[in-house]
Amino acid sequence: AEAAFAAAAEKEDDDGGTSSKSKLFDNLVAWVRHNGGRVDNRLGLTNHKHHGDVDDDDDRLVRGGVALQNIQAGTELLFLPWKIVFGTIANTHIVPENKCDVLQSYAAEVDAGRASFWYEYLALDDSLSSRVPSLWSGLAIAELQGLPPYYNVESTTSGAAGAAGGGGLTDWYLSNCVDNDDESDDEHDGVVAFVNLPSSSRQALLAAITRAAGLRFLPVYDLLNHHNGMVNVQSFADREGDTITTTVDIQKGEEIFISYRGGPENTVDEMFRRYGFVEEWPRYYSWELEEEEEDLRDDDSNESEDADDGNGGTTTRRRHRMKFLVLPQQNVAIYPPTSMLSQIGLKNLNIDDVLAKTAKHNQSLSTQQLIHFRKVGVDFMSTLTTTAEEDMLILEKTNDDLLMMMSPQNLDAPAGEVEQVMDIISAIRYRIKFKQGIQMALDTTNEVLAVRKYANASDEL
C-alpha cells in the first residue's frame, strides 16, 4: 500500500515531476466532481515560491493553489459535499466522538492503496514529509536556545500529555489510540513511539496535525497555503457541505490563501510548533519573561510575586509578557491592542489601515512603557548564546553539512541523521527570525522615544 502511494505521489517525469503532480490534481478534481462536488476550472495547483515565507532569499518552491486565470470576487471556487469530507459521519458535518476511529480509518484507507474510495485524495497527501517541531529530537529542540516554543516542544516530545495542537495531538494519539503492549526503555518517549508506528498511522497523524480542520479532511481546500495577511477566500458550511468563495479579485498567477489559525492566539511560536513555519507577516510575538523588581506602576503587562530569598527575607519577581506585532516594511506595533490582533487572519485585511493605526498606537504608549519594553528586550537578548548574525554563519555551515550528508558519496549516513540535521536547520532559521523580530521591535521603540525626546526638547525651546 505504501509503495502504491509512493509510486503515484513521487513518480518523476521528464520535467522533474511537475506533470505527474498536475495529473494527480486533475484526478482529484475529477473525483470531487464525480461525487457531487464542484471545482472552478481556474483553480490550479503548482510549485512556486511561497509569498508567505519570511525567507525572501530562499529559492525553495512550495506546493499550493493558484489562479490559472483572473477570478472575480464572489466566485464559488469550491464546493465539497459532506460525503467526501473525510472524518465526517454519513452526509453530515459531524465528527465521531471517538477521534481514534477517524485516524485509524485514515490509516486503513492509506493501507488500502488504489482500492480505497479516497485514493485520489490520499495520492496528494505528502504529510509523511512534514517535520513539525512537536516531533523533533532533543538535539534539534536544543537549537531553539530556550526561545519559545522551547518548553512546549520539550514537554510534548518527552511524552507529557498535552491539550489540542501539534504535540498535544501526538501525545493524545500515542496514549489513547495505540496498543502499548511492549515494554521498552523508550516507552515514554513520544518521538521514538511515533517513529515505531506503521507508516500509514504516521501519515494519518501528521495529516491531522498539518492538514485537518477539526479532524475534518477537506479535499482540494487543504492543499491551499496559509497567509494571515493575504487571505483571499472564505469558507461557508451548511447542511449540504462546505463552500469556498473568493473575497477579492484574484489575478492570474496569484496564490490563493487561507488562514490555518488567526486572532490573538496566533503567536509566532504557536504557529511554528504546530506547522513548522513562520509567515512573512503578520507575526505576533507574545511570551512571558521573569524579571527583577522595579517601579512599573504605569505598565499593566506585569504581575509580581514574593519569594523567599533564602536569607529570611523576600525578593519580588515580576512576570512580564513581551508582546509585539511585526507588519510589512518592518513596521512593528509594541504591546498591540486586542482590537488589532483580532484582525489577524480575517479576509480582505486592510493593511494600510492597520499600519496607520500602528503608528498612532505606538505614540499613545507612555514613555515609561517604552523604556521598560526596551530594557526587558535588551536584557533578554543578552541572555541568548548567539546573535542573529552569528546564527547566519552557523546556518551556512549546517547547510553545507547537510549537502555533504546527502551527496551520492555518503550513502552510509545513519538512519534519521539527515532528517535530524534538517530539523536543526529549521530551528536555526526560526531563532534567527525570532531575534530579528525582537531587534525590529527594539528599533521601533528607540525611534518612538527619539521622536518624543526631540519633540519635548523643541517644546522647551
Side-chain angles (χ1 to χ4, degrees):
E2 182 179 355
F5 282 105
E10 299 179 9
K11 178 178 177 292
E12 295 292 320
D13 292 334
D14 293 337
D15 60 357
T18 301
S19 293
S20 64
K21 289 182 174 60
S22 177
K23 291 173 185 175
L24 291 175
F25 183 69
D26 291 343
N27 292 342
L28 175 61
V29 169
W31 176 82
V32 169
R33 290 170 175 165
H34 177 75
N35 288 284
R38 298 186 292 271
V39 185
D40 192 287
N41 287 328
R42 293 166 291 182
L43 170 59
L45 185 73
T46 66
N47 292 328
H48 52 271
K49 186 172 181 181
H50 181 37
H51 298 296
D53 198 317
V54 296
D55 295 310
D56 293 330
D57 57 345
D58 191 346
D59 293 328
R60 290 176 300 174
L61 300 180
V62 299
R63 184 181 71 178
V66 297
L68 300 179
Q69 298 293 334
N70 295 344
I71 305 177
Q72 291 183 326
T75 299
E76 180 191 276
L77 206 60
L78 178 66
F79 168 72
L80 300 170
W82 292 121
K83 70 177 182 179
I84 59 171
V85 175
F86 192 94
T88 58
I89 298 176
N91 294 324
T92 73
H93 71 285
I94 300 173
V95 176
E97 290 186 13
N98 188 341
K99 304 302 188 293
C100 291
D101 286 348
V102 176
L103 298 185
Q104 289 168 349
S105 294
Y106 193 104
E109 296 296 337
V110 172
D111 286 332
R114 290 185 179 276
S116 170
F117 169 76
W118 305 91
Y119 175 75
E120 279 73 19
Y121 170 68
L122 296 171
L124 275 166
D125 179 9
D126 59 356
S127 300
L128 277 176
S129 65
S130 301
R131 301 294 305 172
V132 291
S134 54
L135 299 175
W136 282 0
S137 69
L139 286 175
I141 295 171
E143 292 296 337
L144 292 174
Q145 295 184 344
L147 292 171
Y150 174 84
Y151 294 106
N152 284 339
V153 175
E154 186 183 43
S155 65
T156 57
T157 57
S158 64
L169 182 57
T170 305
D171 295 325
W172 165 82
Y173 182 81
L174 295 172
S175 300
N176 296 280
C177 306
V178 178
D179 292 331
N180 291 312
D181 295 332
D182 297 331
E183 298 289 335
S184 71
D185 293 338
D186 298 319
E187 181 181 6
H188 301 294
D189 190 329
V191 176
V192 174
F194 174 80
V195 171
N196 289 338
L197 289 175
S199 175
S200 57
S201 296
R202 285 186 280 122
Q203 181 174 336
L205 181 54
L206 285 168
I209 293 173
T210 60
R211 301 183 66 169
L215 282 187
R216 299 177 183 88
F217 299 83
L218 293 91
V220 181
Y221 180 78
D222 61 13
L223 294 172
L224 304 180
N225 287 323
H226 164 95
H227 193 308
N228 265 336
M230 301 175 68
V231 176
N232 48 16
V233 296
Q234 63 182 354
S235 174
F236 173 75
D238 58 22
R239 62 185 301 175
E240 301 299 325
D242 204 351
T243 303
I244 291 83
T245 58
T246 57
T247 59
V248 296
D249 291 342
I250 304 176
Q251 304 304 311
K252 177 181 178 180
E254 289 184 347
E255 188 165 3
I256 297 170
F257 288 112
I258 61 176
S259 173
Y260 294 172
R261 181 180 176 86
E265 287 74 36
N266 179 51
T267 59
V268 165
D269 57 288
E270 183 62 12
M271 283 295 293
F272 185 68
R273 183 182 74 86
R274 285 172 175 261
Y275 306 111
F277 67 82
V278 177
E279 62 186 320
E280 182 183 5
W281 63 270
R283 303 201 317 261
Y284 175 43
Y285 294 78
S286 175
W287 77 103
E288 196 170 79
L289 296 169
E290 191 174 79
E291 56 178 330
E292 294 184 2
E293 179 183 20
E294 61 178 292
D295 185 7
L296 300 170
R297 284 169 294 180
D298 192 34
D299 188 350
D300 59 5
S301 63
N302 294 272
E303 297 179 1
S304 63
E305 62 179 15
D306 293 333
D308 189 342
D309 64 3
N311 297 311
T314 60
T315 180
T316 301
R317 307 288 296 179
R318 290 185 179 273
R319 293 188 301 276
H320 175 79
R321 181 160 289 277
M322 286 287 284
K323 296 189 292 185
F324 58 92
L325 178 65
V326 174
L327 297 163
Q329 291 88 49
Q330 297 189 343
N331 286 278
V332 181
I334 308 300
Y335 298 132
T338 302
S339 59
M340 184 180 295
L341 296 176
S342 63
Q343 297 183 56
I344 295 177
L346 296 182
K347 61 184 180 181
N348 304 346
L349 178 67
N350 187 334
I351 189 59
D352 291 333
D353 180 61
V354 174
L355 293 178
K357 290 180 178 178
T358 294
K360 292 181 180 179
H361 166 74
N362 288 341
Q363 289 295 340
S364 72
L365 297 174
S366 70
T367 298
Q368 188 174 19
Q369 284 177 304
L370 292 168
I371 291 175
H372 178 240
F373 181 92
R374 180 175 63 184
K375 178 185 181 304
V376 173
V378 170
D379 289 347
F380 179 73
M381 291 282 274
S382 69
T383 66
L384 302 176
T385 56
T386 57
T387 64
E389 291 72 20
E390 291 169 336
D391 286 339
M392 291 179 186
L393 297 177
I394 295 172
L395 178 62
E396 183 178 352
K397 180 182 182 305
T398 311
N399 274 321
D400 290 341
D401 292 343
L402 179 62
L403 290 175
M404 287 290 295
M405 293 175 63
M406 298 178 67
S407 67
Q409 293 78 21
N410 190 13
L411 299 178
D412 57 347
E417 187 171 328
V418 170
E419 289 78 7
Q420 180 169 271
V421 174
M422 292 173 66
D423 293 343
I424 289 173
I425 288 174
S426 182
I428 297 172
R429 286 181 179 275
Y430 172 78
R431 77 187 192 216
I432 289 173
K433 293 304 175 184
F434 204 103
K435 295 170 186 178
Q436 290 176 336
I438 297 175
Q439 190 57 57
M440 279 192 285
L442 292 176
D443 291 343
T444 297
T445 303
N446 287 331
E447 290 170 5
V448 175
L449 287 171
V451 169
R452 189 168 296 178
K453 182 178 180 181
Y454 177 80
N456 291 339
S458 298
D459 290 343
E460 291 177 1
L461 293 177

